[in-house]
Amino acid sequence: MKSEKYNYKYPRPALTADCIIFGFDGLDINILLIQRGIEPFKGKWAFPGGFVRMEESTEECAIRELHEETGIKNVFIEQLYTFSDIHRDPRERVVTVAYFALVKTSDYKLIAGDDAKNVKWFKIKDIPSLAFDHDVIFRIAHNRLKGKIRYQPIGFELLDEKFTMPQLQLLYESILEIKFDRRNFNNKLMKTGLLTPLNEKQQNVRHRAPRLLKFNKKKYSELLNSGFNFEI
Amino acid sequence: MKSEKYNYKYPRPALTADCIIFGFDGLDINILLIQRGIEPFKGKWAFPGGFVRMEESTEECAIRELHEETGIKNVFIEQLYTFSDIHRDPRERVVTVAYFALVKTSDYKLIAGDDAKNVKWFKIKDIPSLAFDHDVIFRIAHNRLKGKIRYQPIGFELLDEKFTMPQLQLLYESILEIKFDRRNFNNKLMKTGLLTPLNEKQQNVRHRAPRLLKFNKKKYSELLNSGFNFEI
DNA sequence: ACAAAAGTGTTTGGAATACACCCATGC
DNA sequence: GCATGGGTGTATTCCAAACACTTTTGT
C-alpha cells in the first residue's frame, strides 16, 4: 500500500499555522523561537508552527503546535496574516496562517518538543536570521503589535497583578520603542480610571519605592460596553 | 485511471480565496455578490471566489476569480482575514482567505462568469442572506472598511477625478454611517492640503453649484514620506 | 549627605466641536 | 421670490505636550 493515501482531483497547497509569541520579561520584549531539528533549515531558528489537521481550525492548530513545540498553553492568540508566496517553503507549496500573542515570559516554562532542538526567548535586538520567510513575518507581527497596544489595554496582562507606574511605562516604551514623559504618561493613564492605586509600595527596591497599582477590570468592562475609546 | 490523481500522505483542507468588493455609486456603498449557479447553495448569493491554484498566491487567486466571475479587473485588494471553521463548507473542509477592496461601481461593467448565474451590486441595507459563512465575513469586512477609511485617504479613489466637497462628505457618511457637520468637515479636509480647488463648478445641479476639487497626489506622497498622519 | 528614582501640577498650543448667516441657482 | 443647498469664520472646549522641583529611601 502506498503511503500517500489521500487523493484529490486537483493539487492542494499544504496548510500550516505559525505562532509569533511576544513575551515581556519586565524589562524587554522578547520573541519566542524554536531551533529546527529537521530539514529544511535544520539548525535555524523559526516560529513554532505546523501542519493543520482536518479536525481543527487554523487557530486551534496554532495553539496545539505552540504547546507541542514549546510547552506553552493557555494563550490568547489573534490572527495576524496569511502568507502564501509560492516559494516561501523550498520543499513544496505551503500556505501559512500566522497568529500572534503577547504574554509574560515568567508565566511559562519552555520545553522543547520533538521537532525542535531548542526553544528560547530572544530579545528583539538579538533575533538571528530566521528560517523560511519568518523574517518578513516577524516585521509584520512587530508592526501589528505596536499598533495594537496603543488602542487596547493589553499591556496590563503582561505585568503582575500588582504593578507600578514605572513598570507600565517601561513596558509601553519597550514595545513602542519610544520614550514617554513620566508626568504625562502618569496623567494620561490615571485619567483613564483603569488603574486603582493600592496602599502598598513595591518592596526591595534600591531607592524610593513606587506605589503599587492594579488594573480595574470592572471599569474596563464598563468602558467596553459604553463604546470604548482607550488610547495611549 | 482514477480522476483523483493528486496524492498526499496526510489529508489537506481545500484552499480558496474570496473577494469582498465594496463599491461606491456616488450615493451609497454597495457590495458585489454573485448568485451561485451550482451546488452547494445553488441560487444563493455569495462573494466571488474560488480554489487556489498551485502556481498562484492566494492574492493572485482572489484577483483571478474576481475577474472570471464578475468581469472586474485592475483592483487593488487587501487581505482581510482567513476563515477556517471546520464546518464552514458543507461539502468538505475548506479554508478561505478573504480579501477586500473599495472601488467605484461606475468603473466596471459586470459580466457573470461560468459558475455564476448572476452578478450584482447590492446596497448594504439590501443584502440577502448569503451562502456559506459569508454573512460573518461581510460583517468583518464592513468593520474593517470603517476602520480603514478614517486613517487612509482611500475615499478619493471612489469619486471622479474632479469632485465636490458635498460628494466627498456623502461618501464618508455613507461608509461610516454617521453625519458630519458640513463646516467642520470642510475645514478639516481642506487643512490636510490634499485637496486642490479648481476654478470650475459642478454642472447640471438643481441649485447653487459647488466648486470642483481634485486630489493632490503629489502632496499625498510627500505626506507619506514624512511620516504621515491622515485622519478624518 | 548623596545618589537614585518617585510623586506631582501648570502652562501653552493645537485640534475638535459647536454654531449662523449670506450667496448662487433653478424653478 | 422662494426653495434648495453651497460657502465660509469664530468662539469654546478639550487634549497633548512641555516642563522642574520636592520627596523618599538605601547606602
Side-chain angles (χ1 to χ4, degrees), chain B:
Chain B
M1 183 182 157
K2 215 171 159 202
S3 75
E4 276 81 10
K5 58 184 179 171
Y6 294 95
N7 308 310
Y8 304 105
K9 190 167 175 186
Y10 299 102
R12 295 184 172 189
L15 186 64
T16 61
D18 289 314
C19 287
I20 296 85
I21 308 295
F22 292 96
F24 186 64
D25 60 14
L27 205 62
D28 285 304
I29 286 290
N30 298 268
I31 189 87
L32 183 66
L33 297 174
I34 61 163
Q35 193 174 25
R36 290 181 58 82
I38 56 173
E39 293 293 348
F41 298 106
K42 186 170 174 177
K44 273 229 169 192
W45 295 87
F47 294 119
F51 293 95
V52 176
R53 297 182 183 164
M54 297 306 265
E55 72 279 9
E56 67 188 4
S57 66
T58 53
E59 180 172 327
E60 287 159 353
C61 171
I63 289 170
R64 176 181 55 74
E65 289 283 351
L66 180 64
H67 182 233
E68 288 176 9
E69 295 186 333
T70 71
I72 288 184
K73 53 184 170 176
N74 297 322
V75 173
F76 285 103
I77 59 174
E78 184 174 330
Q79 196 181 107
L80 172 66
Y81 198 78
T82 297
F83 297 87
S84 70
D85 188 275
I86 303 174
H87 302 295
R88 58 175 298 283
D89 188 310
R91 292 167 293 188
E92 60 165 337
R93 181 77 198 282
V94 180
V95 171
T96 197
V97 185
Y99 287 83
F100 79 106
L102 184 53
V103 303
K104 51 175 166 166
T105 57
S106 63
D107 276 354
Y108 303 98
K109 191 174 162 214
L110 303 182
I111 303 158
D114 288 347
D115 296 348
K117 282 161 110 164
N118 213 341
V119 196
K120 227 173 86 176
W121 291 108
F122 284 80
K123 284 194 206 311
I124 289 206
K125 312 276 170 202
D126 301 334
I127 298 176
S129 114
L130 303 177
F132 305 103
D133 56 351
H134 288 191
D135 297 307
V136 175
I137 296 179
F138 169 72
R139 273 201 301 281
I140 292 173
H142 193 204
N143 284 333
R144 175 80 73 93
L145 176 64
K146 287 187 194 179
K148 187 177 172 63
I149 200 167
R150 297 197 87 111
Y151 301 102
Q152 289 186 260
I154 48 178
F156 308 106
E157 324 238 328
L158 302 186
L159 297 167
D160 296 322
E161 197 193 327
K162 298 174 182 181
F163 55 89
T164 69
M165 191 60 80
Q167 285 172 342
L168 187 62
Q169 184 173 347
L170 210 57
L171 166 62
Y172 275 89
E173 290 180 341
S174 165
I175 293 176
L176 293 171
E177 301 177 302
I178 54 177
K179 297 285 175 198
F180 291 100
D181 179 274
R182 200 158 50 91
R183 292 157 290 190
N184 291 338
F185 186 83
N186 180 73
N187 292 160
K188 196 177 340 185
L189 271 286
M190 290 315 290
K191 211 164 5 178
T192 64
L194 292 172
L195 300 181
T196 309
L198 304 173
N199 288 322
E200 292 177 71
K201 300 199 165 180
Q202 195 176 32
Q203 301 298 316
N204 305 317
V205 283
R206 284 184 299 284
H207 303 292
R208 179 175 181 176
R211 183 172 59 192
L212 290 168
L213 308 164
K214 67 174 189 182
F215 181 61
N216 187 339
K217 286 184 182 150
K218 189 158 156 286
K219 177 78 181 191
Y220 179 52
S221 38
E222 283 170 29
L223 274 187
L224 276 181
N225 292 333
S226 63
F228 162 41
N229 55 348
F230 178 87
E231 182 174 340
I232 299 292

Side-chain angles (χ1 to χ4, degrees), chain A residues 6-8 12 79 82 93, chain B residues 6-8 12 79 82:
Chain A
Y6 293 95
N7 308 309
Y8 304 104
R12 296 183 172 191
Q79 196 180 109
T82 297
R93 181 78 198 280
Chain B
Y6 294 95
N7 308 310
Y8 304 105
R12 295 184 172 189
Q79 196 181 107
T82 297

Side-chain angles (χ1 to χ4, degrees), chain A residues 60-86:
Chain A
E60 286 159 353
C61 171
I63 289 170
R64 176 182 53 74
E65 289 283 351
L66 180 63
H67 182 233
E68 288 176 11
E69 295 186 332
T70 71
I72 288 185
K73 53 183 170 178
N74 298 322
V75 174
F76 285 103
I77 59 174
E78 184 174 331
Q79 196 180 109
L80 172 67
Y81 198 78
T82 297
F83 297 86
S84 70
D85 188 274
I86 305 175

